[in-house]
Amino acid sequence: MDILVLDDEKEIADLVEVYLLNENYIVHKFYDSESAVNFINSENVDLAILDIMVKGVDGLQILKMIRDKGFKYPVIMLTAKVMNTDKINGLTLGADDYITKPFNPLELVARVKAQLRRYTKYNDSSNSNIIFIDGLEICSDTHICKLYDKVVNLTPIEFDILLYLANKRGIPVSSEELFLNVWKDKYFDSNNTVMVHIRRIREKLNDDGREHKFIKTVWGVGYKIE
């Protein structure tokens, strides 16, 4: 697989290149937009990682050019900016994913793999029951959960909780709803079973710090995966 990397911060581009090479990808690295655009116009690319704030023609302009030319390969936007308008603009123009600096290189690699799987197997029905969330991969058919391509050892109940929240992505789910749909039993206000299981899942996902990445607590409501 040929991956284009554009970032005018040499250290960032070099770091991304090292991690992608370790996964046996072919990396075409550029520090300036002109060279990257010339390559896009003349060579085959399977995925592009574009820095929005690159000098010259910025990443969003290059993204628009890629889509205007009819290229359908995945594009991941890489930027230090955290403005929601930038994210919305990128997704509107056809970006497939968006990651903000500073970032975990393993998470970036996981997102690259997820996007390439979607791109190369989007007509494969066996891939239709897999949910990808920021390095987390949940397959409802095999009941296998992976984090950055490493299997997470979840119990059946823990898996069902995570899958239910993932299927409701972005929607707060109460403890009562989780209990009724996972345990199939009557819920009591004094029941802390859900809370205990959520804590165990977070520990297994290395998500038990103060700022939870995957399972967020919605105070007074319940839990959600964003």
Side-chain angles (χ1 to χ4, degrees):
M1 292 286 187
D2 291 80
I3 298 179
L4 181 142
V5 176
L6 170 62
D7 197 313
D8 56 8
E9 292 184 69
K10 186 176 185 298
E11 296 78 8
I12 299 294
D14 292 348
L15 178 66
V16 172
E17 179 186 36
V18 168
Y19 275 83
L20 293 176
L21 288 175
N22 285 340
E23 298 295 330
N24 297 318
Y25 293 118
I26 300 170
V27 181
H28 306 278
K29 178 182 60 177
F30 300 96
Y31 303 129
D32 67 277
S33 57
E34 182 179 355
S35 299
V37 169
N38 289 337
F39 187 88
I40 290 169
N41 286 330
S42 61
E43 304 292 340
N44 292 325
V45 175
D46 294 301
L47 181 143
I49 300 173
L50 305 176
D51 178 24
I52 284 186
M53 298 298 292
V54 68
K55 297 176 183 177
V57 182
D58 66 38
L60 290 176
Q61 290 176 286
I62 297 175
L63 168 63
K64 185 177 185 303
M65 181 204 75
I66 289 172
R67 296 304 183 227
D68 286 348
K69 287 181 174 293
F71 297 134
K72 299 183 183 300
Y73 53 78
V75 177
I76 297 175
M77 306 308 296
L78 185 65
T79 179
K81 298 185 72 173
V82 295
M83 297 291 291
N84 284 335
T85 52
D86 293 317
K87 184 173 182 179
I88 292 170
N89 287 338
L91 295 175
T92 300
L93 289 172
D96 297 273
D97 204 350
Y98 194 104
I99 189 166
T100 304
K101 304 173 187 176
F103 58 89
N104 182 336
L106 292 176
E107 178 181 342
L108 177 61
V109 170
R111 293 195 188 195
V112 166
K113 289 182 177 180
Q115 292 301 331
L116 286 173
R117 279 194 292 264
R118 290 177 179 176
Y119 177 54
T120 58
K121 298 182 179 180
Y122 66 94
N123 284 323
D124 183 356
S125 60
S126 65
N127 202 40
S128 61
N129 293 319
I130 300 179
I131 301 173
F132 300 99
I133 302 172
D134 294 345
L136 189 64
E137 179 180 324
I138 308 166
C139 180
S140 60
D141 289 337
T142 62
H143 273 232
I144 292 176
C145 172
K146 293 181 180 180
L147 180 62
Y148 305 138
D149 279 342
K150 291 185 178 180
V151 174
V152 181
N153 186 24
L154 298 176
T155 67
I157 287 291
E158 290 168 350
F159 181 88
D160 287 346
I161 292 172
L162 189 61
L163 179 63
Y164 191 86
L165 290 171
N167 281 325
K168 295 272 188 173
R169 187 174 182 178
I171 302 173
V173 177
S174 67
S175 294
E176 180 179 6
E177 181 179 343
L178 272 173
F179 199 85
L180 290 173
N181 285 277
V182 174
W183 278 267
K184 311 294 184 183
D185 201 354
K186 187 176 181 180
Y187 176 81
F188 298 96
D189 289 340
S190 60
N191 194 327
N192 65 354
T193 303
V194 172
M195 180 181 66
V196 172
H197 279 77
I198 292 290
R199 184 169 68 241
R200 288 176 180 169
I201 295 170
R202 283 171 171 166
E203 290 173 354
K204 292 181 178 182
L205 297 179
N206 299 318
D207 192 29
D208 52 348
R210 293 187 63 182
E211 295 293 330
H212 302 301
K213 176 179 179 180
F214 295 110
I215 303 179
K216 307 283 189 180
T217 298
V218 183
W219 297 109
V221 180
Y223 308 95
K224 73 173 179 178
I225 291 180
E226 294 181 339

